[in-house]
Short mmCIF file of all heavy atoms in Angstrom, two decimals:
data_model
loop_
_atom_site.label_atom_id
_atom_site.label_comp_id
_atom_site.label_asym_id
_atom_site.label_seq_id
_atom_site.Cartn_x
_atom_site.Cartn_y
_atom_site.Cartn_z
N SER A 1 9.60 19.68 -1.12
CA SER A 1 10.39 20.85 -1.66
C SER A 1 9.37 21.91 -2.12
O SER A 1 8.35 21.53 -2.73
CB SER A 1 11.26 20.39 -2.81
OG SER A 1 11.96 21.51 -3.33
N CYS A 2 9.67 23.16 -1.82
CA CYS A 2 8.72 24.24 -2.15
C CYS A 2 9.57 25.45 -2.66
O CYS A 2 10.74 25.60 -2.28
CB CYS A 2 7.92 24.63 -0.97
SG CYS A 2 6.73 23.36 -0.46
N MET A 3 8.93 26.25 -3.46
CA MET A 3 9.56 27.46 -3.98
C MET A 3 8.59 28.62 -3.75
O MET A 3 7.37 28.43 -4.06
CB MET A 3 9.83 27.30 -5.53
CG MET A 3 10.41 28.54 -6.12
SD MET A 3 10.81 28.29 -7.90
CE MET A 3 12.27 27.26 -7.81
N GLY A 4 9.06 29.69 -3.29
CA GLY A 4 8.21 30.86 -3.03
C GLY A 4 7.72 31.57 -4.28
O GLY A 4 8.17 31.25 -5.41
N GLN A 5 6.72 32.40 -4.15
CA GLN A 5 6.18 33.09 -5.33
C GLN A 5 7.26 33.96 -5.95
O GLN A 5 8.20 34.38 -5.32
CB GLN A 5 5.01 33.96 -4.90
CG GLN A 5 5.32 35.03 -3.90
CD GLN A 5 4.08 35.77 -3.44
OE1 GLN A 5 3.09 35.10 -2.97
NE2 GLN A 5 4.07 37.10 -3.55
N ARG A 6 7.17 34.21 -7.21
CA ARG A 6 8.13 34.95 -8.05
C ARG A 6 9.57 34.37 -7.91
O ARG A 6 10.49 35.03 -7.97
CB ARG A 6 8.15 36.44 -7.62
CG ARG A 6 6.73 37.12 -7.54
CD ARG A 6 6.17 37.15 -8.95
NE ARG A 6 6.91 37.84 -9.93
CZ ARG A 6 6.87 39.17 -10.13
NH1 ARG A 6 6.12 39.96 -9.34
NH2 ARG A 6 7.60 39.76 -11.06
N HIS A 7 9.65 33.07 -7.70
CA HIS A 7 10.90 32.31 -7.60
C HIS A 7 11.71 32.67 -6.40
O HIS A 7 12.89 32.36 -6.28
CB HIS A 7 11.75 32.60 -8.84
CG HIS A 7 11.22 32.05 -10.13
ND1 HIS A 7 11.91 31.28 -11.04
CD2 HIS A 7 10.00 32.31 -10.69
CE1 HIS A 7 11.12 31.03 -12.02
NE2 HIS A 7 9.99 31.63 -11.90
N VAL A 8 11.15 33.33 -5.39
CA VAL A 8 11.92 33.76 -4.21
C VAL A 8 11.92 32.69 -3.20
O VAL A 8 10.90 32.36 -2.59
CB VAL A 8 11.26 35.09 -3.65
CG1 VAL A 8 11.99 35.51 -2.40
CG2 VAL A 8 11.24 36.17 -4.66
N GLY A 9 13.05 32.16 -2.99
CA GLY A 9 13.37 31.23 -1.92
C GLY A 9 12.94 29.83 -2.23
O GLY A 9 11.97 29.55 -2.96
N THR A 10 13.69 28.92 -1.73
CA THR A 10 13.35 27.47 -1.81
C THR A 10 13.48 26.78 -0.45
O THR A 10 14.20 27.28 0.40
CB THR A 10 14.26 26.72 -2.81
OG1 THR A 10 15.65 26.91 -2.42
CG2 THR A 10 14.03 27.24 -4.24
N TYR A 11 12.80 25.70 -0.33
CA TYR A 11 12.81 24.92 0.88
C TYR A 11 12.96 23.42 0.51
O TYR A 11 12.23 22.97 -0.41
CB TYR A 11 11.59 25.13 1.69
CG TYR A 11 11.43 24.25 2.87
CD1 TYR A 11 11.95 24.47 4.13
CD2 TYR A 11 10.75 23.00 2.74
CE1 TYR A 11 11.89 23.62 5.18
CE2 TYR A 11 10.58 22.14 3.80
CZ TYR A 11 11.19 22.42 5.02
OH TYR A 11 11.10 21.54 6.09
N TYR A 12 13.77 22.73 1.24
CA TYR A 12 13.88 21.30 1.05
C TYR A 12 13.83 20.57 2.39
O TYR A 12 14.50 20.97 3.34
CB TYR A 12 15.25 20.94 0.33
CG TYR A 12 15.34 21.42 -1.12
CD1 TYR A 12 15.92 22.65 -1.39
CD2 TYR A 12 14.86 20.68 -2.15
CE1 TYR A 12 16.02 23.14 -2.68
CE2 TYR A 12 14.94 21.12 -3.46
CZ TYR A 12 15.51 22.32 -3.72
OH TYR A 12 15.58 22.75 -5.01
N ALA A 13 13.14 19.48 2.48
CA ALA A 13 13.14 18.67 3.61
C ALA A 13 14.53 18.11 3.78
O ALA A 13 15.25 17.85 2.76
CB ALA A 13 12.15 17.54 3.47
N ASP A 14 14.98 17.89 4.99
CA ASP A 14 16.29 17.37 5.31
C ASP A 14 16.60 16.06 4.58
O ASP A 14 17.68 15.78 4.10
CB ASP A 14 16.55 17.20 6.77
CG ASP A 14 16.65 18.51 7.50
OD1 ASP A 14 16.98 19.55 6.83
OD2 ASP A 14 16.48 18.54 8.81
N SER A 15 15.54 15.27 4.41
CA SER A 15 15.67 13.95 3.81
C SER A 15 16.00 13.99 2.36
O SER A 15 16.45 12.95 1.80
CB SER A 15 14.36 13.15 4.07
OG SER A 15 13.21 13.84 3.51
N VAL A 16 15.79 15.09 1.72
CA VAL A 16 16.01 15.19 0.24
C VAL A 16 17.09 16.22 -0.16
O VAL A 16 17.38 16.37 -1.31
CB VAL A 16 14.73 15.47 -0.56
CG1 VAL A 16 13.66 14.41 -0.17
CG2 VAL A 16 14.29 16.86 -0.32
N LYS A 17 17.62 17.00 0.81
CA LYS A 17 18.64 17.98 0.52
C LYS A 17 19.76 17.42 -0.21
O LYS A 17 20.29 16.39 0.16
CB LYS A 17 19.08 18.70 1.80
CG LYS A 17 18.06 19.73 2.29
CD LYS A 17 18.64 20.42 3.58
CE LYS A 17 17.66 21.41 4.11
NZ LYS A 17 18.13 22.04 5.40
N GLY A 18 20.19 18.14 -1.25
CA GLY A 18 21.34 17.64 -2.01
C GLY A 18 20.98 16.59 -3.13
O GLY A 18 21.86 16.27 -3.96
N ARG A 19 19.73 16.06 -3.07
CA ARG A 19 19.39 15.08 -4.06
C ARG A 19 18.22 15.59 -4.96
O ARG A 19 18.11 15.19 -6.13
CB ARG A 19 18.92 13.80 -3.31
CG ARG A 19 20.01 13.18 -2.43
CD ARG A 19 19.56 11.78 -1.92
NE ARG A 19 18.37 11.91 -1.07
CZ ARG A 19 17.25 11.25 -1.32
NH1 ARG A 19 17.14 10.47 -2.37
NH2 ARG A 19 16.26 11.37 -0.48
N PHE A 20 17.31 16.36 -4.44
CA PHE A 20 16.21 16.84 -5.13
C PHE A 20 16.36 18.33 -5.50
O PHE A 20 16.94 19.07 -4.73
CB PHE A 20 14.90 16.67 -4.35
CG PHE A 20 14.40 15.26 -4.15
CD1 PHE A 20 15.24 14.17 -4.49
CD2 PHE A 20 13.12 15.00 -3.69
CE1 PHE A 20 14.83 12.89 -4.25
CE2 PHE A 20 12.73 13.72 -3.49
CZ PHE A 20 13.55 12.66 -3.76
N THR A 21 15.81 18.70 -6.64
CA THR A 21 15.85 20.11 -7.04
C THR A 21 14.45 20.48 -7.64
O THR A 21 13.94 19.82 -8.53
CB THR A 21 16.89 20.32 -8.13
OG1 THR A 21 18.18 19.93 -7.63
CG2 THR A 21 16.96 21.82 -8.45
N ILE A 22 13.88 21.58 -7.10
CA ILE A 22 12.67 22.08 -7.61
C ILE A 22 12.95 23.21 -8.62
O ILE A 22 13.85 23.99 -8.45
CB ILE A 22 11.76 22.58 -6.44
CG1 ILE A 22 10.34 22.93 -6.91
CG2 ILE A 22 12.38 23.77 -5.73
CD1 ILE A 22 9.37 23.21 -5.81
N SER A 23 12.12 23.27 -9.66
CA SER A 23 12.26 24.38 -10.61
C SER A 23 10.89 24.66 -11.17
O SER A 23 9.95 23.83 -11.02
CB SER A 23 13.29 23.99 -11.72
OG SER A 23 12.88 22.88 -12.44
N ARG A 24 10.83 25.77 -11.87
CA ARG A 24 9.54 26.14 -12.49
C ARG A 24 9.79 26.77 -13.85
O ARG A 24 10.85 27.41 -14.04
CB ARG A 24 8.69 27.00 -11.62
CG ARG A 24 9.30 28.37 -11.45
CD ARG A 24 8.72 29.12 -10.20
NE ARG A 24 7.32 29.40 -10.25
CZ ARG A 24 6.61 29.88 -9.24
NH1 ARG A 24 7.19 30.08 -8.05
NH2 ARG A 24 5.33 30.10 -9.39
N ASP A 25 8.88 26.51 -14.83
CA ASP A 25 8.97 27.21 -16.10
C ASP A 25 7.67 27.92 -16.29
O ASP A 25 6.63 27.29 -16.66
CB ASP A 25 9.20 26.17 -17.25
CG ASP A 25 9.39 26.78 -18.52
OD1 ASP A 25 8.96 27.96 -18.78
OD2 ASP A 25 9.89 26.11 -19.49
N ASN A 26 7.66 29.20 -16.05
CA ASN A 26 6.40 30.00 -16.15
C ASN A 26 5.91 30.01 -17.56
O ASN A 26 4.67 30.22 -17.77
CB ASN A 26 6.62 31.41 -15.54
CG ASN A 26 6.76 31.36 -14.07
OD1 ASN A 26 6.34 30.42 -13.39
ND2 ASN A 26 7.30 32.46 -13.53
N THR A 27 6.75 29.91 -18.55
CA THR A 27 6.23 29.94 -19.96
C THR A 27 5.39 28.73 -20.22
O THR A 27 4.50 28.72 -21.10
CB THR A 27 7.42 30.03 -20.92
OG1 THR A 27 8.22 28.83 -20.83
CG2 THR A 27 8.25 31.22 -20.69
N LYS A 28 5.69 27.64 -19.53
CA LYS A 28 4.95 26.40 -19.69
C LYS A 28 3.92 26.17 -18.56
O LYS A 28 3.20 25.15 -18.55
CB LYS A 28 5.87 25.21 -19.75
CG LYS A 28 6.73 25.22 -21.05
CD LYS A 28 7.65 24.01 -21.05
CE LYS A 28 8.59 24.01 -22.24
NZ LYS A 28 9.46 22.82 -22.36
N ASN A 29 3.91 27.11 -17.59
CA ASN A 29 3.04 27.01 -16.44
C ASN A 29 3.20 25.67 -15.76
O ASN A 29 2.20 24.97 -15.40
CB ASN A 29 1.56 27.20 -16.90
CG ASN A 29 0.77 27.98 -15.87
OD1 ASN A 29 1.30 28.75 -15.07
ND2 ASN A 29 -0.56 27.73 -15.81
N THR A 30 4.44 25.26 -15.59
CA THR A 30 4.79 23.92 -15.08
C THR A 30 5.84 24.05 -14.06
O THR A 30 6.76 24.83 -14.16
CB THR A 30 5.27 23.04 -16.28
OG1 THR A 30 4.23 22.89 -17.21
CG2 THR A 30 5.58 21.64 -15.77
N VAL A 31 5.79 23.12 -13.07
CA VAL A 31 6.80 23.04 -12.00
C VAL A 31 7.38 21.60 -12.11
O VAL A 31 6.66 20.69 -12.43
CB VAL A 31 6.24 23.35 -10.56
CG1 VAL A 31 5.09 22.47 -10.21
CG2 VAL A 31 7.33 23.28 -9.54
N TYR A 32 8.65 21.49 -11.75
CA TYR A 32 9.37 20.22 -11.88
C TYR A 32 9.96 19.83 -10.58
O TYR A 32 10.30 20.73 -9.78
CB TYR A 32 10.38 20.33 -12.96
CG TYR A 32 9.94 20.74 -14.32
CD1 TYR A 32 10.03 22.04 -14.75
CD2 TYR A 32 9.38 19.78 -15.17
CE1 TYR A 32 9.55 22.45 -15.99
CE2 TYR A 32 8.91 20.20 -16.42
CZ TYR A 32 9.00 21.51 -16.81
OH TYR A 32 8.55 21.88 -18.06
N LEU A 33 10.28 18.59 -10.37
CA LEU A 33 11.03 18.06 -9.30
C LEU A 33 12.01 17.02 -9.85
O LEU A 33 11.61 15.99 -10.26
CB LEU A 33 10.13 17.44 -8.18
CG LEU A 33 10.90 17.01 -6.94
CD1 LEU A 33 11.45 18.23 -6.20
CD2 LEU A 33 9.98 16.14 -6.06
N GLN A 34 13.23 17.40 -9.83
CA GLN A 34 14.33 16.53 -10.32
C GLN A 34 14.80 15.72 -9.12
O GLN A 34 15.19 16.37 -8.11
CB GLN A 34 15.51 17.31 -10.96
CG GLN A 34 16.63 16.41 -11.38
CD GLN A 34 16.33 15.53 -12.55
OE1 GLN A 34 15.60 15.90 -13.49
NE2 GLN A 34 16.74 14.24 -12.49
N MET A 35 14.71 14.42 -9.18
CA MET A 35 15.05 13.57 -8.07
C MET A 35 16.19 12.70 -8.53
O MET A 35 16.08 11.89 -9.45
CB MET A 35 13.84 12.72 -7.65
CG MET A 35 12.59 13.58 -7.38
SD MET A 35 11.22 12.55 -6.70
CE MET A 35 10.90 11.50 -8.09
N ASN A 36 17.31 12.84 -7.79
CA ASN A 36 18.55 12.06 -8.09
C ASN A 36 18.89 11.22 -6.88
O ASN A 36 18.41 11.44 -5.77
CB ASN A 36 19.70 12.96 -8.41
CG ASN A 36 19.45 13.80 -9.68
OD1 ASN A 36 18.78 13.38 -10.62
ND2 ASN A 36 20.02 14.97 -9.70
N SER A 37 19.69 10.26 -7.09
CA SER A 37 20.20 9.35 -6.02
C SER A 37 19.01 8.79 -5.16
O SER A 37 19.02 8.84 -3.96
CB SER A 37 21.21 10.07 -5.13
OG SER A 37 22.26 10.55 -5.86
N LEU A 38 17.99 8.32 -5.86
CA LEU A 38 16.79 7.87 -5.15
C LEU A 38 17.08 6.69 -4.27
O LEU A 38 17.91 5.80 -4.58
CB LEU A 38 15.69 7.56 -6.22
CG LEU A 38 14.99 8.83 -6.82
CD1 LEU A 38 14.31 8.44 -8.12
CD2 LEU A 38 14.08 9.36 -5.83
N LYS A 39 16.26 6.73 -3.14
CA LYS A 39 16.39 5.65 -2.15
C LYS A 39 15.08 4.98 -1.97
O LYS A 39 14.04 5.55 -2.30
CB LYS A 39 16.85 6.28 -0.84
CG LYS A 39 18.14 7.12 -0.85
CD LYS A 39 18.33 7.76 0.46
CE LYS A 39 19.58 8.66 0.43
NZ LYS A 39 19.88 9.32 1.79
N PRO A 40 15.05 3.73 -1.53
CA PRO A 40 13.76 3.05 -1.25
C PRO A 40 12.79 3.90 -0.38
O PRO A 40 11.62 3.87 -0.59
CB PRO A 40 14.19 1.74 -0.59
CG PRO A 40 15.58 1.49 -1.12
CD PRO A 40 16.20 2.84 -1.24
N GLU A 41 13.37 4.61 0.55
CA GLU A 41 12.52 5.43 1.45
C GLU A 41 11.91 6.63 0.73
O GLU A 41 11.10 7.34 1.35
CB GLU A 41 13.25 5.90 2.67
CG GLU A 41 14.58 6.60 2.39
CD GLU A 41 15.83 5.61 2.51
OE1 GLU A 41 15.72 4.47 2.04
OE2 GLU A 41 16.84 6.01 3.07
N ASP A 42 12.26 6.90 -0.49
CA ASP A 42 11.61 7.91 -1.27
C ASP A 42 10.31 7.43 -1.94
O ASP A 42 9.63 8.21 -2.54
CB ASP A 42 12.54 8.49 -2.42
CG ASP A 42 13.73 9.18 -1.88
OD1 ASP A 42 13.65 9.93 -0.95
OD2 ASP A 42 14.91 8.91 -2.42
N THR A 43 10.03 6.15 -1.81
CA THR A 43 8.82 5.60 -2.36
C THR A 43 7.64 6.22 -1.76
O THR A 43 7.48 6.23 -0.47
CB THR A 43 8.84 4.09 -2.13
OG1 THR A 43 9.94 3.46 -2.90
CG2 THR A 43 7.52 3.49 -2.64
N ALA A 44 6.71 6.78 -2.55
CA ALA A 44 5.56 7.43 -2.05
C ALA A 44 4.74 7.95 -3.24
O ALA A 44 5.22 7.91 -4.43
CB ALA A 44 5.96 8.67 -1.19
N VAL A 45 3.55 8.42 -2.98
CA VAL A 45 2.79 9.15 -3.94
C VAL A 45 3.15 10.65 -3.77
O VAL A 45 3.16 11.18 -2.67
CB VAL A 45 1.22 9.02 -3.78
CG1 VAL A 45 0.54 9.84 -4.84
CG2 VAL A 45 0.85 7.58 -3.90
N TYR A 46 3.57 11.21 -4.88
CA TYR A 46 4.05 12.64 -4.91
C TYR A 46 2.90 13.57 -5.47
O TYR A 46 2.37 13.25 -6.51
CB TYR A 46 5.33 12.76 -5.72
CG TYR A 46 6.51 12.24 -5.02
CD1 TYR A 46 6.69 10.88 -4.81
CD2 TYR A 46 7.48 13.11 -4.46
CE1 TYR A 46 7.82 10.36 -4.15
CE2 TYR A 46 8.60 12.65 -3.86
CZ TYR A 46 8.78 11.27 -3.63
OH TYR A 46 9.86 10.77 -2.96
N TYR A 47 2.70 14.60 -4.76
CA TYR A 47 1.68 15.57 -5.12
C TYR A 47 2.26 16.99 -5.27
O TYR A 47 3.25 17.27 -4.61
CB TYR A 47 0.56 15.69 -4.05
CG TYR A 47 -0.11 14.37 -3.73
CD1 TYR A 47 0.41 13.56 -2.72
CD2 TYR A 47 -1.31 14.04 -4.34
CE1 TYR A 47 -0.24 12.38 -2.39
CE2 TYR A 47 -1.96 12.90 -3.99
CZ TYR A 47 -1.44 12.07 -3.00
OH TYR A 47 -2.06 10.88 -2.66
#
């Protein structure tokens, strides 16, 4: 999942659409990935 600069546009891989949500908090200089309805195939190292 990716988000464009200045919050413009998002992209989700087909495998996570409807389950994952990307967001950012510029005041905290932090980006988040909310992952719901996790499946065994989501097992991985996330970067």
Side-chain angles (χ1 to χ4, degrees):
S1 180
C2 295
M3 178 181 286
Q5 61 186 56
R6 308 299 298 276
H7 296 231
V8 176
T10 55
Y11 169 89
Y12 293 93
D14 288 342
S15 56
V16 306
K17 280 181 181 176
R19 301 188 298 121
F20 289 12
T21 303
I22 188 171
S23 62
R24 67 200 296 173
D25 185 340
N26 286 341
T27 64
K28 296 181 179 180
N29 217 27
T30 298
V31 59
Y32 304 97
L33 184 68
Q34 178 66 44
M35 306 187 296
N36 299 328
S37 302
L38 283 162
K39 305 175 181 179
E41 51 263 43
D42 294 319
T43 296
V45 178
Y46 284 71
Y47 303 88

